[in-house]
């Protein structure tokens, strides 16, 4: 190849480790579509009204694949811990995948399905902004594999573009961004009990939510805005 584009610093390091020259590797992650994910109060209201179980509860959303690598049983166990501390948080999983039925079975067995955890069918990408407009916090999750710490998941950048605090349960460069820019809750390496207590506090703190969401959107605009990254790609190609 004349050049290689890596989607994260860790992916670049993986290419470097195999002897490819550093000056021929560009790092261009997935981008944030700030215009499409701008807050829409009418869409948010419509979303909430159509879900009687939601009411005015804080909402944590996961929108994406339900596969082995995503490890969504983490959210099932988190929902149980939130229930034990009588948190008012609701969790919504929107998506499909090979482990969807297993997820439903686990949720039912733990007694959280339909109480504080809900699962809906996947929606077209064009409808994801409506989902994120209605949520209090969005999330990106993976099983704890070192290789996954270099991922460049679209859902992370969509959440930033929507100006929502981000919930992560894995380490790596995204974890470092959330911690450094104070734009969400980083759960990696922590007990579910501690995470549940922090989420319950943060998601009911309107001042924290507002400031964290603002920092998330600022992060998107400064480093991950789609048109800016497209220009970087064009420079590599030309």
């Amino acid at each position: 190849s004349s050049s290689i584009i890596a989607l994260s610093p860790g992916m670049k390091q993986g290419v470097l480790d195999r002897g490819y020259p550093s000056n021929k590797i560009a790092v261009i992650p997935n981008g944030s579509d700030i215009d499409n994910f701008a807050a829409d109060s009418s869409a948010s209201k419509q979303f909430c009204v159509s879900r009687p179980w939601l009411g005015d509860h804080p909402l944590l959303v996961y929108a994406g694949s339900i596969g082995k690598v995503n490890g969504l049983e983490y959210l099932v166990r988190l929902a149980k811990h939130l229930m034990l501390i009588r948190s008012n948080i609701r969790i919504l999983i929107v998506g499909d995948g090979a482990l969807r039925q297993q997820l439903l079975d686990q949720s039912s067995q733990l007694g959280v399905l339909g109480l504080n955890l809900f699962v809906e069918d996947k929606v077209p990408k064009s409808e994801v902004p409506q989902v994120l407009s209605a949520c209090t916090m969005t999330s990106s999750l993976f099983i704890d594999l070192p290789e996954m710490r270099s991922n460049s998941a679209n859902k992370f950048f969509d959440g930033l573009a929507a100006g929502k605090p981000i919930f992560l349960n894995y380490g790596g460069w995204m974890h470092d961004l959330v911690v450094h820019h104070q734009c969400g809750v980083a759960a990696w390496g922590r007990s579910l009990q501690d995470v549940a207590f922090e989420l319950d506090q943060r998601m009911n703190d309107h001042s924290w939510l507002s400031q964290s969401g603002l920092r998330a959107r600022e992060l998107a605009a400064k480093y991950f805005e789609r048109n800016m990254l497209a220009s970087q790609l064009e420079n590599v190609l030309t």
Side-chain angles (χ1 to χ4, degrees), residues 137-196:
M137 183 180 291
T138 186
S139 64
S140 182
L141 298 104
F142 286 106
I143 56 177
D144 191 19
L145 285 177
E147 294 82 1
M148 296 313 301
R149 296 170 196 165
S150 297
N151 82 83
S152 188
N154 276 315
K155 59 180 72 68
F156 177 81
F157 302 101
D158 291 346
L160 294 181
K164 299 292 183 174
I166 310 291
F167 175 73
L168 295 179
N169 73 337
Y170 51 88
W173 73 296
M174 291 180 179
H175 166 93
D176 296 342
L177 283 172
V178 169
V179 172
H180 180 73
H181 292 275
Q182 298 180 335
C183 60
V185 172
W188 183 54
R190 301 171 57 195
S191 71
L192 275 167
Q193 184 178 26
D194 286 346
V195 172

Side-chain angles (χ1 to χ4, degrees), residues 23 61 73 199:
N23 64 346
V61 161
E73 66 273 10
L199 280 177

Side-chain angles (χ1 to χ4, degrees), residues 104-154:
L104 292 170
D105 293 342
Q106 290 172 337
S107 303
S108 180
Q109 289 166 7
L110 278 184
V112 296
L113 185 63
L115 293 176
N116 69 342
L117 184 142
F118 301 82
V119 182
E120 296 184 1
D121 294 337
K122 66 178 180 179
V123 298
K125 180 74 172 182
S126 60
E127 295 181 20
V128 174
Q130 180 189 34
V131 178
L132 298 192
S133 284
C135 78
T136 309
M137 183 180 291
T138 186
S139 64
S140 182
L141 298 104
F142 286 106
I143 56 177
D144 191 19
L145 285 177
E147 294 82 1
M148 296 313 301
R149 296 170 196 165
S150 297
N151 82 83
S152 188
N154 276 315

Side-chain angles (χ1 to χ4, degrees), residues 4 6 10-21 25:
I4 289 177
M11 292 185 193
K12 176 180 179 178
Q13 188 60 49
V15 179
L16 282 172
D17 290 346
R18 283 152 183 78
Y20 198 84
I25 308 173

Side-chain angles (χ1 to χ4, degrees), residues 21 45 100 190:
K45 183 177 181 180
R100 189 177 194 275
R190 301 171 57 195

